[in-house]
């Protein structure tokens, strides 16, 4: 008889601390924030009949502490519960996020401006969003690619106004997180089936790793599983590249005036 493995998706600021995940992954996946919610959810699932619980940090590479914080929370469980818990690898990194955004951008008419939107995080995490937007512009056909930080600066209103000033007749928002920007007609970055497929792959890998190697993943931290925030690079090193190339323009949506 196969084990019954319950799945917990733990989210940080990229998913409004897990609040944006239930509609994406479905009712069979428990979505929580890190810390007490995660601790209580794991204990409840084990008491409720699960043979094992697999926890997957739901990050797209812009939450530098989520993996380590998740591991610390799980390591604080009582020994009996901890022995039945697996920590899966992060949902995705910035390379996957960039590719998914590029795929989404390719479906938008080239004459439209693009607005890459995600909740604000720490300065390095926000800088990473500018780097990603620069790559979307570099490998695409859109003349204007902007960044909006939900709950930060530049916010959606400021970024949309900047697109208008630069001559955009139409601006299309692309979510770079699981939180959808509050503008009409925005589609999720990943469909439900696609997101569920990625999550299932992470769970399957964690279960197989434990079965073959006895590795529960709990020794891993953010230092072992980098989320590619490039802390060694100056902030906004790529996104500060202003100017024109191949007839297109990438604009760094700075909160300060740009000459």
């Amino acid at each position: 008889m196969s084990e019954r493995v319950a799945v917990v998706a733990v989210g940080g600021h990229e998913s409004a601390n897990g609040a944006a995940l239930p509609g994406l992954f479905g009712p069979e996946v428990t979505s929580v924030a890190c810390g007490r919610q995660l601790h209580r959810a794991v204990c409840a699932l084990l008491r409720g009949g699960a043979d094992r619980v697999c926890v997957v940090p739901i990050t797209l590479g812009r939450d530098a502490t989520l993996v380590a914080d998740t591991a610390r929370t799980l390591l604080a469980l009582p020994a009996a519960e901890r022995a039945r818990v697996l920590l899966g690898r992060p949902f995705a990194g910035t390379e996957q996020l960039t590719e998914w955004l590029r795929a989404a951008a390719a479906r938008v008419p080239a004459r439209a401006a693009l607005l890459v939107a995600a909740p604000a995080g720490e300065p390095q995490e926000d800088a990473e969003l500018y780097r990603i937007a620069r790559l979307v512009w570099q490998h695409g056909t859109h003349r204007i690619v902007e960044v909006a930080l939900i709950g930060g600066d530049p916010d959606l209103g400021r970024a949309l106004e900047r697109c208008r000033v630069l001559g955009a007749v139409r601006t299309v928002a692309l979510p770079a997180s699981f939180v959808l920007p509050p503008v009409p007609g925005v589609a999720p970055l990943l469909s439900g089936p696609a997101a569920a497929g990625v999550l299932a792959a992470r769970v399957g890998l964690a279960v197989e790793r434990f079965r073959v190697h006895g590795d529960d993943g709990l020794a891993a931290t953010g230092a072992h599983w980098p989320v590619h925030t490039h802390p060694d690079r100056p902030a906004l090193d790529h996104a500060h590249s202003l100017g024109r190339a191949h007839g297109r323009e990438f604009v760094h949506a700075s909160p300060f005036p740009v000459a």
Side-chain angles (χ1 to χ4, degrees), residues 18-255:
L21 300 178
L24 187 65
F25 293 131
E28 67 278 6
V29 175
T30 302
S31 301
V32 296
C34 201
R36 290 182 179 178
Q37 280 191 25
L38 173 59
H39 188 282
R40 291 169 180 165
V42 170
C43 290
L45 288 166
L46 291 172
R47 288 195 300 266
D51 298 305
R52 200 169 297 281
V53 173
C54 181
V55 178
V56 179
I58 306 300
T59 175
L60 296 171
R62 287 189 56 250
D63 193 332
T65 65
L66 181 62
V67 176
D69 289 347
T70 300
R72 280 192 290 270
T73 299
L74 297 178
L75 287 168
L77 289 166
E81 282 80 5
R82 189 170 67 244
R84 297 160 61 195
V85 174
L86 306 178
L87 175 59
R89 293 188 180 275
F91 182 86
T94 53
E95 290 86 353
Q96 291 94 339
L97 174 57
T98 303
E99 291 304 313
W100 290 333
L101 285 170
R102 287 179 58 192
R107 297 190 290 269
V108 177
R111 63 182 179 275
L114 297 180
L115 189 58
V116 178
E122 295 297 321
Q124 289 286 355
E125 295 164 349
D126 293 345
E128 186 72 359
L129 192 62
Y130 283 98
R131 186 186 74 87
I132 292 167
R134 178 66 170 81
L135 293 173
V136 172
W137 170 83
Q138 184 71 49
H139 298 291
T141 59
H142 297 84
R143 186 177 67 87
I144 299 171
V145 178
E146 275 287 349
V147 168
L149 298 171
I150 302 169
D153 190 0
D155 61 11
L156 283 164
R158 190 163 191 159
L160 285 167
E161 175 62 16
R162 191 168 180 82
C163 291
R164 187 192 66 78
V165 168
L166 290 167
V169 176
R170 180 188 178 201
T171 299
V172 176
L174 301 180
S177 73
F178 299 98
V179 177
L180 298 184
V183 295
V186 178
L189 178 63
L190 296 176
S191 67
V198 174
L199 182 63
R202 299 294 175 265
V203 173
L205 179 63
V207 171
E208 182 68 6
R209 186 182 63 212
F210 181 74
R211 184 185 69 82
V212 174
H213 302 291
D215 179 5
D216 61 9
L218 289 177
T221 67
H224 294 91
W225 293 345
V227 290
H228 307 290
T229 53
H230 301 285
D232 56 314
R233 297 182 182 178
L236 307 179
D237 57 348
H238 293 283
H240 271 307
S241 300
L242 304 177
R244 297 178 183 273
H246 308 295
R248 295 174 291 146
E249 184 179 68
F250 175 82
V251 180
H252 163 40
S254 169

